[in-house]
Amino acid sequence: MSALTSAHATAALMGGAFTADVRITAQDGMITALAVGAEAQPGDTRLGVVAPGFVNAHSHAFHRLLRGRTHGGGGDFWVWREQMYRAAQSLTPEIYRALAEQVFAEMRDAGCTAVGEFHYVHHRPDGTPYAGHAMELALADAAVAAGIRLVLLDTCYLRGGVGLDLSERQRRFGDADVHAWLERWHSLHDAIAGDPHRRGLVTVGAAVHSVRAVTPDDLAVVARELPAAVPLHVHLSEQTAENDACLRAYGVTPTGLLAEHGLLRPDLAAVHATHLTDADIALLGEAGASIVMCPTTEADLGDGIGPAPELRAAGATLSIGSDQHAVIDPFEEVARLELDQRLRAQKRGIFTPAQLWHAGSSGGARALGLSGARALGLSGARQDEAGLRVGDPFDVVEIDAETTRTRGADLLQLPLVARASDVTATIVAGSLTRKGAAPSGLTRKGVA
């Protein structure tokens, strides 16, 4: 499908407000001009209400296998984790390719135009490598087929816990050591960058699974040897048990450990950041780090509610992710970002609607290091300036503002009203997909 070069929207989010009759001009999948109050021209693609596409900044695609299958077990995060390990054991490159395409297509139909895949199922179950980055390329090809932008966050996962070796069920996640992971990361980066079929939509970022999964020496090597400006993600303080283990072993919190080893910086994205001290919040804010909240997962797993407004006030940039995919609905994530904080603070209006739009789109683009103006310098007060911008990728979601759910709503407040079923189309790099288009080679039925 050729990329659109012009479109006309009845209303578009720009500068933190919706503006009527916006004509969008694009070239090579990038927005080159935005004309306000303009009439549609012959050849324009006609769109309704549009906003920047949502960015799902934290995904584990294979966790989709657990949806609707774990509630009866009860327990806590650690019980759920054992179920997750069993699901990971079932994956092959072929199975993962088909599963991920369906998961990514569900995200696309829900209004996501980009996803950060926090990927650690690297090898065979016994830990021996696949040839040619088979698992990673399966994810890349799934994203291309689904028509969604992918940042593949290849993950360093070397330890089974503080002071513990990898367990048998974790063996396929690990490399021999941090240097072997870096060597494999560079090889994967080069493989994606050298393939024109994939590189248009796929880039490679990096992740450290958690401070439980590496040693302090490993963190120092990552800080020193990972190329500058590569987005680096880490699960941070999702559980109090992680904090307790880190304090016992190293005398500091997980955030403090990252700071000691040079990893608190603007290209760091802390995922969850649920159980933080005031000092942790200050450190993350001073670093200008991104924070990826995953409200539906944090609720589903009983993690807790993180200090999102305090982090934003300290200088961090908020974004959202669907993590384990109990729900894939970016509207639900941004709504819960507000509503969970209302429960915590016992008041309303924690975030402005523009700030919720920003967390759902530009905040995620920044966390993933995506190209375009919206991925750069949009922290702090500028989180009120959500919207389409010249120089951004032409990544847009179209929303039906006249459904029984959305009719009559202030367009700016749609994050608190609309849901994924109100999405009618997405545009990624200028390529339009109307909702419901089946991924190539798959039915629209549920994952077996």
Side-chain angles (χ1 to χ4, degrees), residues 80-121:
W80 172 89
R81 188 177 73 155
E82 291 303 313
Q83 297 168 316
M84 180 269 289
Y85 286 159
R86 288 195 291 272
Q89 293 298 95
S90 70
L91 299 174
T92 65
E94 295 74 22
I95 290 171
Y96 211 5
R97 166 68 171 75
L99 170 65
E101 184 174 340
Q102 189 155 347
V103 172
F104 293 155
E106 184 179 358
M107 290 180 197
R108 179 205 67 204
D109 283 354
C112 295
T113 54
V115 56
E117 180 64 25
F118 196 111
H119 167 67
Y120 51 81
V121 189

Side-chain angles (χ1 to χ4, degrees), residues 43 45 52 76 83 101 105 123 133 169 183 215 254 277 294 310 320 332 387 403-404 426 441 443:
T45 296
D76 56 12
Q83 297 168 316
E101 184 174 340
H123 308 305
H133 305 292
R169 281 185 288 189
E183 182 179 354
T215 67
T277 67
C294 304
E310 292 91 337
I320 53 99
E332 182 74 18
T403 68
T404 53
T426 53
T443 68

Side-chain angles (χ1 to χ4, degrees), residues 89 123-128 166-175:
Q89 293 298 95
H123 308 305
R124 292 183 174 87
D126 65 359
T128 57
L166 293 173
S167 69
E168 182 177 350
R169 281 185 288 189
Q170 295 169 318
R171 197 175 301 165
R172 71 184 310 180
F173 307 158
D175 296 287

Side-chain angles (χ1 to χ4, degrees), residues 228-253:
V230 170
L232 178 67
H233 288 224
V234 59
H235 293 126
L236 187 71
S237 293
E238 181 179 5
Q239 296 289 319
T240 56
E242 175 183 304
N243 292 352
D244 294 342
C246 190
L247 283 164
R248 283 195 303 269
Y250 311 121
V252 293
T253 65

